[in-house]
């Protein structure tokens, strides 16, 4: 999907953002062309067991399901957000799955995600504009698995950022052109401003250090730490790639899977990126939503939580309600990049599909995110349609 719409100081860019999308393992098994179900996990050796656990928790999952099934009600909401958009729109998600038939399980890892390339229509059903790949699962099946992942996504016409055949490709941002649909430009440079999406991973999310792309080796865009030096390096890359009128998103895979605390070095890193010109920081890795912040008029999502996975039936962290998933819809001023509004639409995972959550669940999310977001002076309001809206103090954004 190529973004479209108008330009100018009164125009907006609508960006739909999601956290981790894991279409491998149990999800892959219920699609039309299930891949090899073998796993190298300590306790689960067959991906079909995750389908059984989901069925035990919430009812049997039909097999095979349509490619739209894992997205469920989300697809209708994405269409509605696109209709509501006053200008260009784009969709950005973290694809935390290898797309490969390889059986070269990465050593020293207990969890590996892969989906059969023949099932890529499932990913395409959500029409993502950018799939960010700098995460701790894209090389789960080695560099050959990464090569097949990049080839498969490219052949499907899906833009990627954060992984590549060498360092230059891994760090290259994805470009989404923001232009008027009636324009007939003569050259690419006439297309107008772009949305640039940089993708970077940090070791704190579980990324092995030897996954880093180098001039001679494929891999991901990996920053060694959320340090001032790493922020300065990324800011320099942003400034090199940026043209007048462009907006910049930095998508970061960082931090632990559980808990609401945002480490001080993550806050400092995000602030340094905004100070250096980033218009939005898109953080992910946590399995549940973490607090968010508006800093100097720019949105920082410290942890979006999972969107699609096969975790139903897995116990141990019920206090975080990881069955609740969020779609983040941010409206940015196209001229300045400042945040004009943020809508959070909650869903609940049931039978490996997403269903709109009700008011009770929306209020649970409101209470959790508002309480833990207190250090950032941010709060949320709940609408009658069970969506959440970001507020700054008493003034809604």
């Amino acid at each position: 999907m190529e973004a479209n719409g108008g330009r100018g100081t009164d125009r907006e860019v609508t960006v739909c953002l999601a956290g981790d999308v894991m279409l491998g393992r149990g999800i892959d098994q219920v699609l039309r062309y299930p891949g090899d179900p073998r796993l190298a996990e300590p306790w689960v050796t067959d991906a079909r067991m995750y389908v059984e656990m989901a069925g035990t928790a919430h009812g049997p999952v039909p097999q095979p399901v349509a490619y739209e099934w894992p997205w469920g009600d989300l697809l209708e909401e994405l269409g509605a957000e696109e209709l509501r958009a006053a200008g260009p729109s784009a969709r950005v998600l973290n694809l935390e799955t290898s797309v490969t038939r390889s059986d070269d399980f990465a050593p020293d890892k207990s969890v590996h995600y892969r989906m059969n390339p023949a099932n890529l229509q499932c990913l395409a059903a959500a029409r993502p504009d950018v799939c960010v790949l700098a995460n701790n699962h894209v090389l789960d099946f080695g560099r050959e698995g990464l090569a097949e992942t990049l080839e498969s996504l490219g052949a499907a016409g899906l833009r990627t950022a954060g992984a590549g055949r060498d360092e230059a490709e891994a760090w290259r941002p994805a470009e989404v052109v923001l232009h008027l649909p009636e324009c007939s430009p003569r050259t690419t440079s006439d297309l107008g401003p772009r949305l640039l999406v940089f993708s970077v991973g940090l070791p704190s999310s579980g990324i092995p250090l030897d996954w880093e792309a180098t001039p001679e080796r494929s891999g991901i865009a990996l920053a060694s730490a959320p340090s001032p030096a790493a922020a300065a390096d990324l800011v320099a890359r942003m400034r090199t790639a940026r043209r007048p009128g462009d907006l910049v998103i930095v998508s970061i895979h960082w931090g632990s899977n559980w808990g609401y605390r945002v480490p001080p070095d993550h806050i400092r890193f995000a602030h340094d990126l905004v100070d250096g010109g980033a218009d939005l920081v898109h953080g992910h890795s946590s399995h549940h939503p973490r607090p968010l912040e508006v800093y100097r008029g720019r949105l920082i999502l410290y942890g979006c939580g999972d969107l699609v996975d096969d975790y139903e039936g897995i116990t141990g962290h019920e206090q975080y309600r990881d069955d609740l998933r969020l779609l983040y819809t941010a409206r940015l001023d196209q001229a300045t990049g400042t945040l004009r509004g943020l809508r959070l639409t909650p869903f609940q995972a049931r039978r490996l599909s997403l269903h709109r959550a009700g008011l009770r669940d929306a209020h649970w999310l409101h209470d959790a995110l508002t309480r833990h977001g207190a250090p950032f002076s941010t709060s949320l309001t709940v609408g009658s349609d069970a969506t959440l809206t970001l507020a700054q103090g008493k003034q809604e954004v």
Side-chain angles (χ1 to χ4, degrees), residues 305-326:
D306 291 349
L307 183 66
V308 177
D309 62 29
D310 62 358
Y311 286 8
E312 291 174 66
I314 300 176
T315 60
H317 296 91
E318 289 82 355
Q319 70 268 34
Y320 297 111
R321 291 295 310 273
D322 64 306
D323 62 313
L324 298 180
R325 316 294 168 80
L326 284 173

Side-chain angles (χ1 to χ4, degrees), residues 147-216:
E148 187 176 9
T149 297
L150 294 171
E151 181 180 350
S152 299
L153 293 171
L158 295 165
R159 297 183 186 90
T160 63
R165 296 161 184 84
D166 56 27
E167 179 182 10
E169 184 177 347
W171 282 98
R172 186 178 302 134
E175 302 179 8
V176 181
V177 176
L178 309 173
H179 69 85
L180 286 165
E182 63 269 21
C183 286
S184 298
R186 292 185 300 275
T187 67
T188 303
S189 61
D190 291 332
L191 286 172
R194 305 162 297 168
L195 178 69
L196 301 181
V197 181
F198 287 84
S199 172
V200 60
L202 292 173
S204 60
S205 66
I207 300 172
L209 295 179
D210 64 357
W211 285 16
E212 181 180 11
T214 71
E216 298 82 25

